[in-house]
Amino acid sequence: SRSPAGSMAPAAPLLPLLLLLGRPLLGAPGQGAGTWSRFARLPYPQDQLFLHDTFPDGFLWGAGSAAYQTEGGWRQGGKGASVWDTFAHRPATPPGSAAPGPAGGDVASDSYNNLFRDVEGLRRLGVSHYRFSLAWARLLPNGTAPLNPAGLAHYQRLLGRLRELGIEPVVTLYHWDLPQGLQDAFGGWASPVLPQLFHDYAELCFRHFGGQVRYWLTMDNPYVVAWHGYGTGWLPPGVRGGPRLGYRAAHHLLQAHAKVWHLYNDHFRPTQRGKVSIALSSHWIKPQRMTEKNIKECQKSLDFVLGWFAKPIFIDGDYPESMRSNLSSLLPEFSEVEKKYIKGTADFFALSFGATLSFQLLDSHMKFQQLESISLRQLLYWISSEYNKPQIFIVENSWFVSGSTKRDDAKYIYYLKKFIMETLKAIRYDGVSVFGYTVWSLLDGFEWHRGYSIRRGLFYVDFQSHDKKLMPKSSVLFYQKLIEKNGFPPLPENQPIEGIFPCGFAWGIVDNYIQVDTTPAQFLDSNVYVWDVHQTKQLIKVDGVFTSKRKRHCVDFAAIRLQVSLLQEMHVTHFQFSLKWSLILPLGNLSLINHTLVHYYQCFASELLRVNITPVVALWQPMAENQELPVSLAKYGAWENPETIQAFVEYAKFCFTSLGDHVKFWITMNEPSVKNLTYTAGHNLLKAHAKAWHLYDKEFRRSQKGKISIALQADWVEPACPFSGNDQEVADRILEFDVGWLAEPIFGNGDYPQVMRAWLHQRNAVDLYNFHLPYFSEDEKKLIQGSFDFFALSHYTTTLVGWEKEDALKYDHYLEVQMINDITWLQSPNRAAVVPWGLRKLLKWVKSKYGDVPIYVMANGIDDDQNMVHDKLRVYYIQNYINEALKAYTLDNVNLQGYFVYSFNDKTAPNYGLYSYVANQYEPKPSMKHYREIIDNNGFPGPETPELLCPEEIASCPECHFFRTGKSLLAFISFIFVAFIVTIFFITYYSKRVERRYK
């Protein structure tokens, strides 16, 4: 059985999925309506994980193009005009075609004059087939005889070259470019004459080319031709005939398709042994809410677009019932003879899915107030259910990039990756029969209503150049490797490993700021109360009567007892939290000290030690309000002000003095946000950290025997195009700005990364920016360099970056970086990507940069949406991120010494906690129990994992020393005491029996 790689969760959650797979797909009108509820029930998140698997043997991989989009040569070789030629030459150009480039498809990619160039691109890709269309007006300039010999020779050369390379042609007879002569003479597809004329054109093609073609497509996307060509007039021939004419044109298109299928079936199939179908395009739609009414509306939406043509062909020769009942007299009628003639006129289901129809050419009224989606997998399942499980050939699929994007088309790659992975899931998980996939398109061309404002090709074409050379984009390398591997085969690095972490590994949990409640326990109240049992039923204080007071104890703080008990329940060995500088020293100096709060922190730390949990304490963590600085410091420049450095050192000294007996694990600064730091503030922050570290090292380390460092946020940054040197350079730059900025001076050479200095120098020179990165003196470098005992990092997600500007909203002009999404990645409700392998890469990067430094993953976590089912995402997240940490420790020899989950509970970190907080009650989530299990196992032991015997670890607790070192003495004393009591009992018992006997 197959399961998504990287998941270490038990197999049980996949059982419902496997049971669903066993159900037969029964094709009948309306059967597809079960699609939405089926996919809503699939196990989460297992079903959404990337599937590492391969396609069936013999699966067809190809690329496609359309004549008008790429051929050009509109006046060459005797070609006649098409409706698109006429439409593009009108004064009002098609929407979106204002981008630089030749008018319409006059020249386009100039494939007519570069036939061998295109085929060489196919050879380089390694495809099994090439889908292209014949230009009707190139073969029959007026749409009818006579035949144009130059056009015939052109396509014969193309087919001959494809045969030499062993590439299967998939030929479309009509891809929207109707000869203008037929539009002028008959009104185009609005005329009942067209089906016979199309039949005659097809007969010519079958006769001249059929010996070399096994797959024929009669026409492409009749929905667009009928609705926008003759209904809305948005596309050629631009007839604004309204719905009635649009439906009549579709009627004639269906009749024309059926005529051609029967022509081939009756006269050419016996000798040519090919197959004929029609390329139907569709969107996907999902209900606004999962109600029966909304699902019916979704079904209706698909009926009105895809079912309009698919139901007559694949089911019963007639239009969907929802169309019949809603459109009444607008929809033409088929006679019973016509229904039988149209029914079954397809040898396979040719599907087109992508940017042309979805989100662009779909009429908004046909959504029926539901939500459009790009789920190819669900559409494939719907087709399989609705149309009796046909063999499906995906003959067009992809997305698009901006017209300005050149070679590194990362966005295009990740859409391609998503669609192909969904196709694989449809085959492997859903039992859908898909036998081929076609990327659209082979090369950049004229993109219909969008003109040259977008690109959809695997190969880049400079439309302004004379020779129109093909230049491979990054997507070429992606698709080439995918074809070689026939999918996404499992790789060793994608597989979970078994093993355990070393003795003394720190298993922790984080709470940015612990709940502080200094309300004393009721046992410290010296008043006397009586219970009014007859009237008020309440306690009434007795005036003037007091009991003796007892000394306060840490256990009197109920909030501490509760939090510590929850931590005990988790079995963690460490607990990390941050102190509130602004509350401990409200004025920013020692003139005013909040002793109550300090005592609370002392109690909290001592109670943790009492239950053998090590407190990990951060002196400062920036928060939104005043960055969690005392108001007096925040008011006067915060970290921009050099005086804040000395204020921090004084505060640190006070904390070391007050809490150092209980705290042996210090963080100077926790997750200082580089996104919100100026270079001056970062400069001062580094000096403050270093001075605090040296203070501890010189004055406190010997007596307190602790360790201290800084904790940096460090998300991984990956090049969006793995084959692009430019994208790799951008990723390296962002890592240095995000992590290296603060890490390099401390863990490296005492100064900022050279990449930062060089980049800022370049930007300041070119764009007249004035971003000054300060310089350290030699003494300051010596002060800062090496001011650490370990490398602490917080890691939550991974980001993809590229250099090609694609989306202005996600483009950083200052760093010249484009943020990219891999839409195949799992995402949290807050859209944080779940990328476990990013943690391993980060840990390896830290080791490669800074040597064998001890590393702690000080925070790692994901948000949820309070829905219990979505805590499964956190279970998956914790499981797989820890497993990647284990790989870094075991396979990469990273000196990893601890791992902390973020966060403790939802009260202090809403939606991130391992404990929910509802109605003043803490409840453990399934993820807490799962984390506890991992802690108890010290990782992921397997049958062959050697047992690790660890000496008992003892936390530093002076009060507990006697009880730990004197266990044997205590046991002996307890034994003597019990024996004494038993002896007295027996003496007394027998003495009484003797007395009774003598009486």
Side-chain angles (χ1 to χ4, degrees):
S1 66
R2 294 173 173 86
S3 63
S7 173
M8 294 260 319
L14 283 174
L15 188 58
L17 173 65
L18 297 175
L19 290 173
L20 282 167
L21 298 187
R23 297 178 184 174
L25 289 166
L26 303 176
Q31 286 290 311
T35 302
W36 292 277
S37 59
R38 177 192 187 270
F39 279 88
R41 294 194 307 268
L42 293 181
Y44 177 88
Q46 286 82 355
D47 182 65
Q48 294 187 20
L49 300 178
F50 194 87
L51 175 60
H52 290 279
D53 201 350
T54 55
F55 284 80
D57 292 340
F59 191 82
L60 302 178
W61 295 104
S65 67
Y68 185 75
Q69 289 186 281
T70 60
E71 273 189 2
W74 79 290
R75 284 181 171 175
Q76 286 182 257
K79 178 185 176 294
S82 73
V83 292
W84 265 98
D85 290 318
T86 304
F87 193 76
H89 292 152
R90 296 188 313 178
T93 55
S97 62
D106 289 2
V107 179
S109 318
D110 202 21
S111 289
Y112 182 74
N113 296 303
N114 291 278
L115 182 151
F116 290 98
R117 173 204 68 180
D118 293 359
V119 177
E120 175 59 24
L122 292 167
R123 187 198 62 77
R124 178 169 182 170
L125 284 169
V127 295
S128 53
H129 70 274
Y130 177 44
R131 180 193 170 193
F132 64 94
S133 71
L134 305 173
W136 190 344
R138 191 174 294 284
L139 290 167
L140 301 173
N142 294 313
T144 58
L147 173 66
N148 175 25
L152 181 67
H154 171 74
Y155 292 118
Q156 285 177 332
R157 279 198 307 275
L158 174 57
L159 288 168
R161 182 60 180 150
L162 291 174
R163 184 174 66 251
E164 289 173 10
L165 295 176
I167 297 173
E168 188 84 56
V170 178
V171 181
T172 308
L173 293 170
Y174 167 61
H175 200 127
W176 305 5
D177 50 350
L178 184 73
Q180 184 63 42
L182 299 183
Q183 183 64 35
D184 294 340
F186 304 105
W189 290 107
S191 169
V193 175
L194 259 288
Q196 184 58 44
L197 296 177
F198 186 59
H199 168 280
D200 297 343
Y201 160 61
E203 184 176 20
L204 178 149
C205 296
F206 293 154
R207 189 168 63 251
H208 286 284
F209 309 129
Q212 301 177 70
V213 179
R214 285 199 307 157
Y215 292 99
W216 290 97
L217 299 172
T218 56
M219 58 187 68
D220 182 89
N221 200 345
Y223 165 89
V224 169
V225 175
W227 192 253
H228 290 303
Y230 295 87
T232 67
W234 194 24
L235 297 178
V239 179
R240 298 179 181 177
R244 186 178 299 277
L245 190 62
Y247 291 122
R248 190 196 309 166
H251 204 69
H252 297 149
L253 285 161
L254 277 165
Q255 290 171 331
H257 159 76
K259 272 183 175 290
V260 170
W261 186 89
H262 282 286
L263 166 69
Y264 189 85
N265 193 57
D266 296 343
H267 300 286
F268 294 95
R269 193 189 301 275
T271 56
Q272 295 181 2
R273 303 182 184 280
K275 296 182 178 182
V276 179
S277 190
I278 180 173
L280 300 180
S281 187
S282 185
H283 62 307
W284 180 247
I285 198 93
K286 63 181 181 181
Q288 295 224 29
R289 292 186 303 278
M290 283 294 290
T291 65
E292 186 176 345
K293 178 184 177 183
N294 285 348
I295 289 175
K296 285 182 178 179
E297 295 298 284
C298 288
Q299 182 79 3
K300 189 192 300 182
S301 176
L302 292 173
D303 280 346
F304 269 64
V305 178
L306 179 58
W308 184 4
F309 301 93
K311 182 174 174 288
I313 295 170
F314 289 92
I315 298 295
D316 59 5
D318 201 4
Y319 297 115
E321 182 56 37
S322 60
M323 294 186 74
R324 283 264 174 238
S325 59
N326 279 270
L327 298 173
S328 61
S329 61
L330 284 176
L331 204 60
E333 297 277 349
F334 287 119
S335 68
E336 290 303 314
V337 172
E338 286 177 318
K339 289 179 185 177
K340 291 178 182 177
Y341 191 71
I342 293 170
K343 177 185 176 182
T345 55
D347 300 323
F348 54 91
F349 197 111
L351 176 65
S352 169
F353 182 78
T356 301
L357 182 58
S358 296
F359 298 102
Q360 293 182 25
L361 294 178
L362 176 64
D363 192 290
S364 60
H365 294 97
M366 294 184 182
K367 298 178 188 178
F368 297 98
Q369 299 181 334
Q370 304 309 308
L371 304 173
E372 202 169 356
S373 171
I374 56 169
S375 177
L376 175 56
R377 178 185 172 189
Q378 294 186 46
L379 175 61
L380 289 169
Y381 184 84
W382 186 89
I383 291 169
S384 209
S385 302
E386 189 80 5
Y387 301 121
N388 200 26
K389 201 172 184 182
Q391 293 282 311
I392 300 173
F393 191 176
I394 298 172
V395 294
E396 175 183 347
N397 178 239
S398 75
W399 208 243
F400 60 89
V401 294
S402 164
S404 62
T405 299
K406 292 182 172 60
R407 304 282 295 277
D408 289 331
D409 53 343
K411 174 184 170 184
Y412 186 92
I413 288 175
Y414 290 110
Y415 272 95
L416 213 57
K417 182 181 173 186
K418 169 187 167 65
F419 291 136
I420 294 172
M421 188 265 290
E422 288 195 346
T423 303
L424 181 60
K425 283 186 175 181
I427 295 170
R428 296 302 188 194
Y429 286 173
D430 308 328
V432 179
S433 298
V434 183
F435 67 89
Y437 179 89
T438 312
V439 167
W440 202 268
S441 64
L442 172 64
L443 67 167
D444 291 334
F446 176 76
E447 289 301 332
W448 308 116
H449 61 295
R450 299 291 295 273
Y452 295 95
S453 65
I454 63 171
R455 293 177 181 270
R456 295 183 68 196
L458 293 168
F459 287 90
Y460 175 81
V461 176
D462 181 356
F463 297 112
Q464 303 299 330
S465 68
H466 176 71
D467 55 6
K468 304 288 191 300
K469 285 183 180 178
L470 291 193
M471 291 181 279
K473 302 180 187 178
S474 291
S475 53
V476 165
L477 296 172
F478 168 80
Y479 194 48
Q480 185 183 56
K481 290 182 180 297
L482 188 144
I483 293 172
E484 286 176 6
K485 297 175 181 177
N486 197 33
F488 310 100
L491 300 171
E493 57 264 33
N494 296 326
Q495 305 302 315
I497 67 167
E498 294 176 344
I500 55 177
F501 290 91
C503 290
F505 191 78
W507 291 104
I509 190 77
V510 185
D511 200 354
N512 284 344
Y513 295 104
I514 58 174
Q515 178 189 348
V516 175
D517 183 0
T518 56
T519 304
Q522 63 185 27
F523 303 107
L524 297 177
D525 190 350
S526 59
N527 292 292
V528 176
Y529 299 84
V530 295
W531 188 8
D532 184 359
V533 296
H534 299 294
Q535 296 181 8
T536 65
K537 309 293 184 183
Q538 295 180 348
L539 291 172
I540 301 173
K541 185 169 70 172
V542 179
D543 293 333
V545 180
F546 302 96
T547 61
S548 58
K549 288 187 177 180
R550 71 165 174 82
K551 184 181 177 182
R552 290 192 177 201
H553 300 289
C554 287
V555 291
D556 292 328
F557 291 118
I560 293 179
R561 290 203 310 273
L562 175 58
Q563 291 177 82
V564 171
S565 67
L566 295 176
L567 291 168
Q568 281 184 281
E569 186 181 5
M570 204 181 299
H571 298 181
V572 292
T573 63
H574 290 64
F575 177 57
Q576 193 236 316
F577 62 94
S578 298
L579 304 177
K580 288 203 170 188
W581 184 4
S582 62
L583 296 182
I584 293 175
L585 302 180
L587 300 182
N589 56 47
L590 299 179
S591 64
L592 180 61
I593 301 171
N594 187 338
H595 290 288
T596 303
L597 180 58
V598 173
H599 176 63
Y600 188 89
Y601 284 137
Q602 289 170 337
C603 285
F604 201 102
S606 66
E607 286 300 299
L608 287 172
L609 290 172
R610 189 178 61 83
V611 296
N612 212 24
I613 296 175
T614 300
V616 181
V617 179
L619 295 171
W620 174 73
Q621 177 165 348
M623 297 298 281
E625 187 177 358
N626 293 329
Q627 301 180 56
E628 196 44 56
L629 293 170
V631 175
S632 59
L633 297 177
K635 188 176 179 182
Y636 293 102
W639 287 108
E640 296 273 340
N641 187 345
E643 293 182 9
T644 304
I645 299 172
Q646 189 55 38
F648 181 75
V649 174
E650 291 177 3
Y651 162 63
K653 184 173 184 178
F654 173 77
C655 293
F656 298 152
T657 304
S658 304
L659 301 172
D661 288 341
H662 306 288
V663 178
K664 311 301 179 187
F665 200 141
W666 290 99
I667 302 292
T668 54
M669 295 146 178
N670 192 41
E671 297 185 17
S673 175
V674 295
K675 305 293 185 187
N676 301 319
L677 273 183
T678 65
Y679 294 128
T680 300
H683 201 69
N684 291 334
L685 188 145
L686 282 166
K687 289 192 281 188
H689 154 77
K691 287 189 174 186
W693 186 89
H694 282 284
L695 170 70
Y696 188 84
D697 190 54
K698 292 175 182 176
E699 299 185 23
F700 296 93
R701 188 188 300 276
R702 180 173 298 178
S703 59
Q704 295 181 1
K705 296 180 172 52
K707 53 188 174 183
I708 182 169
S709 197
I710 188 172
L712 305 176
Q713 181 163 340
D715 288 334
W716 180 243
V717 182
E718 184 80 0
C721 291
F723 319 107
S724 166
N726 289 330
D727 281 7
Q728 183 64 61
E729 183 181 326
V730 170
D732 293 340
R733 179 162 69 244
I734 299 304
L735 276 171
E736 294 294 0
F737 271 83
D738 284 0
V739 185
W741 176 8
L742 299 180
E744 185 64 29
I746 298 171
F747 301 92
N749 61 11
D751 200 0
Y752 297 114
Q754 184 56 37
V755 169
M756 281 186 76
R757 288 216 182 273
W759 180 257
L760 291 174
H761 178 75
Q762 172 194 325
R763 299 297 288 161
N764 291 341
V766 174
D767 297 326
L768 301 179
Y769 284 105
N770 188 24
F771 292 113
H772 174 63
L773 190 61
Y775 286 87
F776 293 114
S777 68
E778 290 304 315
D779 288 341
E780 287 173 335
K781 289 180 182 179
K782 292 176 183 177
L783 177 79
I784 296 170
Q785 185 180 20
S787 57
F788 68 90
D789 295 333
F790 51 88
F791 195 117
L793 60 90
S794 299
H795 175 84
Y796 302 98
T797 188
T798 291
T799 304
L800 292 172
V801 296
W803 73 279
E804 291 259 28
K805 184 178 179 181
E806 176 66 34
D807 181 352
L809 294 177
K810 295 181 179 179
Y811 187 79
D812 185 328
H813 290 272
Y814 175 53
L815 292 176
E816 294 186 357
V817 57
Q818 177 71 60
M819 303 299 174
I820 303 285
N821 291 330
D822 183 340
I823 53 178
T824 66
W825 286 350
L826 269 178
Q827 288 193 328
S828 73
N830 285 345
R831 304 189 67 77
V834 179
V835 192
W837 52 258
L839 175 59
R840 182 183 177 189
K841 286 198 171 188
L842 175 69
L843 294 172
K844 290 171 67 177
W845 181 83
V846 171
K847 179 182 178 181
S848 68
K849 287 275 291 182
Y850 306 118
D852 195 33
V853 57
I855 301 176
Y856 290 86
V857 177
M858 200 54 72
N860 180 236
I862 196 76
D863 61 284
D864 61 27
D865 63 356
Q866 301 296 332
N867 187 337
M868 186 61 79
V869 71
H870 283 87
D871 193 53
K872 292 179 181 177
L873 176 61
R874 185 177 288 106
V875 170
Y876 171 84
Y877 183 99
I878 291 172
Q879 174 90 13
N880 287 276
Y881 271 84
I882 295 177
N883 197 260
E884 291 296 321
L886 181 63
K887 291 178 187 177
Y889 168 73
T890 305
L891 305 178
D892 307 325
N893 296 314
V894 172
N895 188 5
L896 185 63
Q897 298 198 358
Y899 171 89
F900 292 63
V901 167
Y902 180 84
S903 171
F904 182 18
N905 63 74
D906 283 343
K907 183 176 183 180
T908 52
N911 302 331
Y912 280 87
L914 298 194
Y915 284 91
S916 62
Y917 184 76
V918 181
N920 296 322
Q921 294 290 323
Y922 292 95
E923 290 294 334
K925 299 179 184 178
S927 52
M928 188 284 281
K929 298 174 182 177
H930 190 69
Y931 184 42
R932 181 174 63 193
E933 183 181 346
I934 294 172
I935 294 172
D936 291 344
N937 290 324
N938 200 32
F940 309 97
E944 299 180 4
T945 304
E947 185 177 358
L948 186 66
L949 298 175
C950 298
E952 182 181 358
E953 294 176 40
I954 300 172
S956 178
C957 176
E959 299 92 331
C960 306
H961 179 74
F962 169 77
F963 296 97
R964 293 199 179 99
T965 57
K967 285 182 179 178
S968 300
L969 179 60
L970 284 172
F972 177 75
I973 293 172
S974 299
F975 172 77
I976 295 298
F977 178 77
V978 171
F980 175 78
I981 295 298
V982 171
T983 302
I984 294 298
F985 170 79
F986 279 114
I987 290 173
T988 304
Y989 175 78
Y990 283 107
S991 296
K992 289 183 178 180
R993 288 191 62 181
V994 170
E995 287 177 9
R996 282 198 298 269
R997 184 180 304 167
Y998 282 104
K999 287 180 179 180

